[in-house]
Amino acid sequence: MSETELMLHLRELCEELDLPRDACVTLVEHGLIRPQGKRPEDWRFDITSVSVVRRAVRLRRDLDLEWSAVAMVVDLLEERDRLRAELEVMEQRLNRFLAD
């Protein structure tokens, strides 16, 4: 991670997302976001944590899920996105191969 990359402290992340501190700590406990630092007072989050938390909060609200279920859904959605990207690369390679 470069030194110029934006990092947020726990307080800043909570303020940005309008979430209570306990909710952000719960997200860390369920592995939805991964801070740098050992204790909540030292935690720093990269900027991608903001979008992950927004997605998680929407899932919890819209589907009325527990945080553990939200964590599982987010993992599955991320895996789906990774597989789609991998499939796209493979299709491009196949198309180049067939064109030759």
Side-chain angles (χ1 to χ4, degrees):
M1 195 173 305
S2 73
E3 291 180 33
T4 58
E5 191 170 338
L6 181 61
M7 300 291 287
L8 301 170
H9 291 281
L10 178 59
R11 177 187 49 76
E12 295 168 323
L13 182 68
C14 292
E15 287 174 4
E16 175 68 27
L17 297 164
D18 195 28
L19 285 176
R21 183 180 189 275
D22 291 346
C24 288
V25 170
T26 299
L27 294 171
V28 171
E29 290 170 349
H30 286 287
L32 283 157
I33 50 177
R34 293 169 186 84
Q36 293 179 3
K38 300 279 184 204
R39 301 173 307 149
E41 298 78 28
D42 302 327
W43 285 351
R44 294 178 55 129
F45 300 89
D46 63 28
I47 195 66
T48 60
S49 297
V50 173
S51 60
V52 171
V53 173
R54 281 190 178 127
R55 182 182 224 182
V57 169
R58 270 194 321 273
L59 285 166
R60 181 172 166 87
R61 180 193 65 226
D62 294 350
L63 301 177
D64 194 29
L65 298 174
E66 296 294 326
W67 285 119
S68 57
V70 170
M72 184 173 47
V73 170
V74 167
D75 283 345
L76 290 170
L77 291 171
E78 288 174 352
E79 178 70 5
R80 180 205 60 188
D81 294 344
R82 186 191 66 74
L83 289 170
R84 282 183 176 172
E86 188 177 318
L87 178 61
E88 185 176 327
V89 168
M90 292 175 140
E91 286 174 339
Q92 289 172 357
R93 287 180 183 167
L94 179 61
N95 288 336
R96 281 194 302 263
F97 176 75
L98 293 175
D100 289 340

